[in-house]
Every structure is written in C-alpha cells, then in structure tokens.
Amino acid sequence: MQDTSLAHQHTNAARTSPAATAPRYDLYQGIHKALRRLYADTLVRLGQADPDDSQAMAQVLGQVRTLCDICEVHYADEDRFMHPALEQAQPGCTAAITAEHEVHRDTLESVRELTAVVEASHGTTRSQALNRLYQTLAVLMAEDLIHMRVEDQDFNAVLWRHYDDAALQALEGELVATIPPAIMMATLPWMIGALNAPERSAFLAGARQGMPPAVFEAVITIARRELPEGEWNKLAAALYLPPN
Ligand SMILES: [Fe+2]
C-alpha cells in the first residue's frame, strides 16, 4: 500500500530534490570563503597580539595590510566585472551593493590609518590604537559578511537565470587575468585552506587547465604548505599528485 502521508512525502522530497537540480557554477563561493577566513583569522590574531611584543605586532600588522590589499582588489573586481554583467541582466540590481563597496573602502582606509598609528606608537597610545584597529576591523568584517551573503544569494540568482555556466566561467577568466600576481599569491593560501576537500580539488583541477605547469607547481607548493596531512593526502589523490 502506498504511503501518502505528508511526512513521507516530505522525506522523499528532501531525498530527491538535491539531485533534481544540477549545481550551478558559483563565481562567489571560493573567494568569499577565502575572505571570511582571512577576516576571522586576522581579527582573532589582532585581538590576541601583545602590543609590547614587536615581533608579534609586525606579524599581525603585516597580515592586516595583506587583508586590506586583497579586499581592495576584490571590491574593484566585483565593480568592474560582476556588476556590468548583473546590470545587463537586471538593470539597477547592483546599486545598493555598489554603494556598500564605497562604505567598505572608507572603513578599509580607517583600518590602514590605524595600522600605521599602531606601528608608529608605543605604550598606552599603542594599546588604545590597537583596540580601535581591532574594533574597526570587526565592523568591516560584520558589514562584509552580510554584504557577501547578498551577493551569494541574490546576485547568483540573477546570474544563474541569465547566463549559462560557460559564460560565467568566461567572465571569471577575464576577471582573474587582471589580478596582480602578488595579490593572487597572497590570496591563494587563504582560499586553498578555506575550501573543503571536494571544492579544493575542483578549484585546483580547474586552475591546472588554465595555467602553465610551473605556475601550477607553485600553487601546489602553497597547498602542501597550508594543508594538514589528511587534507593534503585527499588533494594529492584527487589530482593524481605524488603524496609528498
Ligand atoms: Fe562585494
């Protein structure tokens, strides 16, 4: 006898719905995971850093500057490449997010200024500036976490309605080609470590197709350095790399 209860139907729907829709290419997922990891790690390290330990200070302030450089390029890339494609699909849809990028740039500028103040100061002045830097970075992270959620959810919905995956990958290729090599090499460790194993394998398999072998070797060296043993072994198996 057929079970027609709602509970049964719900269970069946939950079981079958993921397979019913093929996953679409997500332009935002990798870089946004990288940024979330970078924001979170930097904020925690900044909160822990001893203002009287010059080595610890230099290390964490260097990471804050890396964060600023990566974020600045990311906001600009979205404005330059993603927003025209989105506007073409749905005019007006990027206005609020473009305005938020301006707010983020202002906050980023404050982060840079406070970083310089912390670096140049000592004693109580440094402790107070360090706390202001920590608080300001926390605000930037909070604002960007919500902002990225809108891009992940609403912008992907627009892109997936109007473009096929080949068009999205071509757009990504144009964007990636403009990223300065130093920014790319600074971002990759954060991205490789932020992704889960299947995402990481897919990302690096795709990267392998689009770069010379020597550059891919450099990327794999980063992965070997960044990943815990178990995660590295999964990647090596997925990409048919020698395990060590
Ligand atoms: Fe954005």
Side-chain angles (χ1 to χ4, degrees), residues 186-202:
T187 307
L188 278 172
W190 293 102
M191 190 183 296
I192 287 168
L195 299 174
N196 64 35
E199 292 164 355
R200 186 183 300 124
S201 302

Side-chain angles (χ1 to χ4, degrees), residues 14 16 41 44 102 105 125 127 163 168 180 189 192 210 222 227 244:
T16 56
D41 184 86
V44 170
E102 288 303 320
R105 285 187 185 98
T125 308
S127 297
Y163 299 96
L168 296 178
I192 287 168
I222 292 172
L227 296 174
N244 281 301

